Amino acid sequence: MPLLAWLGLAAAVVVGFLLFSGILPEEHLPLILLGALAGLFLLRYPEIALVLLIKVGKYKGDDRLASLLPFDPTLVIWLLLAGVILHRLLRRELHLRFPPLYLLYLIFVAMMLLSLSYTPDFGWGLEKAGRFILFCGMAIVAPFFILDRPERLKRFLLAFVASSILMSLNALAALGKDRLIAPSGLNTQLGAEAAEAILILLFFVLPGLSFVKRLLCYPLILLLLVTLIGAGARGS
């Protein structure tokens, strides 16, 4: 039985138990069902979950997202990716080869742990070090486990560009009420998003498209350029 089928069955049993026991109010059922469907979708396409892990910090400052999600989305996405990686390791689907330069990450970790010896607030320093090791470490290491096929890498890049376009549209929609900024409130993050998406489109997407499809992509590049310039181009 496929993993997704087992997870879907387990989720249905848990939600059913919570509903019939009265622990879970019935009015929360639509939101839970949407969340379960989103979770199954991200398990099916973990490369999109990887995009969300990289970018979720730029959206968490949005009050609309904070009011919609009563939990930390970064932690949920991290747990989802960790489950996918563990599943693939147990099934021995991967043959990993990490570049030697990735050992530099261990140096950064060692420096952060060493800094705990003189931090004025050990608890806060330990929390920051743990966040860096877990969340940044996942973003650094996960591509070797997740982007192991050309089609997964393609979906990752397209999802990356799509999220940048959505962020640009969100910033432009608020123009007149506020300056061009990311949902986090930083114009530099918006500029970085636009610049990264432009580079992906120019060097990874457009070369493989026909002339007609490339013409359809040029308005998207123009939109991103407007956002980049409007954000001050300081994030590029």
Side-chain angles (χ1 to χ4, degrees):
M1 195 173 192
L3 175 63
L4 285 178
W6 280 112
L7 291 173
L9 179 61
V13 171
V14 171
V15 172
F17 170 77
L18 293 175
L19 282 173
F20 286 111
S21 63
I23 299 175
L24 186 67
E26 292 184 6
E27 56 267 21
H28 292 172
L29 181 59
L31 184 60
I32 292 173
L33 290 177
L34 287 175
L37 290 175
L40 292 175
F41 176 79
L42 293 177
L43 285 171
R44 177 65 179 84
Y45 300 105
E47 55 273 16
I48 298 178
L50 180 58
V51 173
L52 294 178
L53 180 71
I54 295 170
K55 298 198 174 192
V56 68
K58 300 172 184 178
Y59 288 93
K60 286 168 68 174
D62 194 326
D63 294 334
R64 294 169 295 180
L65 181 63
S67 62
L68 183 63
L69 300 178
F71 52 83
D72 185 354
T74 307
L75 180 60
V76 173
I77 297 169
W78 187 93
L79 291 173
L80 188 147
L81 286 172
V84 171
I85 290 173
L86 180 61
H87 176 256
R88 291 186 178 179
L89 285 175
L90 292 177
R91 293 189 61 181
R92 298 180 180 179
E93 295 180 357
L94 304 170
H95 302 283
L96 300 176
R97 290 184 179 180
F98 288 94
L101 285 176
Y102 270 59
L103 294 176
L104 291 175
Y105 174 68
L106 299 179
I107 297 176
F108 292 134
V109 171
M111 291 173 62
M112 292 200 73
L113 295 177
L114 180 63
S115 69
L116 295 178
S117 62
Y118 58 83
T119 179
D121 188 335
F122 181 81
W124 179 244
L126 183 62
E127 180 182 348
K128 294 293 288 184
R131 286 177 177 271
F132 175 81
I133 293 171
L134 290 177
F135 296 119
C136 294
M138 178 65 78
I140 291 171
V141 173
F144 290 94
F145 296 90
I146 303 299
L147 307 179
D148 56 334
R149 298 177 187 173
E151 61 270 20
R152 289 175 177 166
L153 176 59
K154 183 178 180 180
R155 280 195 293 265
F156 171 82
L157 293 176
L158 291 177
F160 197 101
V161 171
S163 66
S164 298
I165 292 173
L166 289 175
M167 187 179 293
S168 298
L169 292 172
N170 178 73
L172 291 170
L175 195 61
K177 303 176 184 177
D178 202 345
R179 56 197 177 95
L180 286 179
I181 54 175
S184 63
L186 297 176
N187 64 322
T188 52
Q189 287 187 345
L190 181 63
E193 285 287 317
E196 292 161 1
I198 290 171
L199 291 175
I200 292 174
L201 285 172
L202 288 178
F203 294 102
F204 293 98
V205 177
L206 290 184
L209 298 180
S210 64
F211 177 73
V212 175
K213 291 181 178 179
R214 275 183 284 172
L215 285 179
L216 297 176
C217 286
Y218 290 141
L220 299 178
I221 295 177
L222 179 60
L223 168 70
L224 293 166
L225 279 173
V226 171
T227 306
L228 176 63
I229 296 171
R234 289 179 288 176
S236 59

